[in-house]
Amino acid sequence: MLLELQGEYGSIRIEEEVIAVIAGSAALECYGLVGMSSRKQLKDGIAELLGRENLSRGVEVRRENERLQINLYIIVSYGTKISEVAHNIQSKVKYVLNKVIGLQVDFVNIFVQGVRVSR
């Protein structure tokens, strides 16, 4: 999917993967997040922890009727309040995408794939 924005001097085309990497990077800055998880793969009930080079595999960008929706698949740190971590990630991702790209994100959905003890 290609997102096209009209600017003062012409159009700007942004690939879905660029949006996914920015959203994933913003999420990783939040306290309580161990990392991103693959959105498609669960092996033996254990979520795969993705490295920084694979951030886009843990983020799904959807556009429906000019509305932008971001789905994040995450692994949280043991001992943190999951609802607070999720809320902080939602706020941070919306803010960063608005500030960096100028996108208005309608929804940031969080899918907690696992809990791990952070090191």
Side-chain angles (χ1 to χ4, degrees):
M1 173 182 85
L2 191 65
L3 183 68
E4 189 166 335
L5 303 172
Q6 288 297 338
E8 182 180 344
Y9 301 110
S11 64
I12 302 167
R13 294 181 179 173
I14 304 170
E15 289 288 334
E16 174 186 326
E17 188 168 344
V18 173
I19 297 169
V21 169
I22 293 171
S25 296
L28 284 178
E29 294 176 6
C30 295
Y31 175 79
L33 182 69
V34 173
M36 304 300 291
S37 173
S38 177
R39 64 181 182 255
K40 296 180 181 175
Q41 186 176 9
L42 239 106
K43 292 182 180 177
D44 300 326
I46 298 174
E48 175 190 5
L49 185 62
L50 300 174
R52 281 199 168 268
E53 65 278 354
N54 295 325
L55 281 180
S56 63
R57 285 180 43 210
V59 181
E60 182 181 18
V61 179
R62 299 175 64 191
R63 194 166 88 184
E64 297 175 9
N65 301 330
E66 300 303 318
R67 299 180 73 122
L68 195 62
Q69 179 177 337
I70 309 290
N71 295 331
L72 296 168
Y73 298 82
I74 65 169
I75 298 173
V76 296
S77 177
Y78 176 78
T80 58
K81 190 172 181 181
I82 294 173
S83 62
E84 284 298 315
V85 173
H87 177 70
N88 290 340
I89 292 170
Q90 289 171 324
S91 298
K92 178 78 172 188
V93 168
K94 273 185 145 183
Y95 174 78
V96 168
L97 286 176
N98 187 5
K99 185 166 176 95
V100 172
I101 302 178
L103 293 177
Q104 294 292 16
V105 178
D106 291 316
F107 299 104
V108 177
N109 299 314
I110 306 292
F111 297 92
V112 179
Q113 300 286 76
V115 176
R116 299 245 172 108
V117 176
S118 61
R119 297 179 190 162

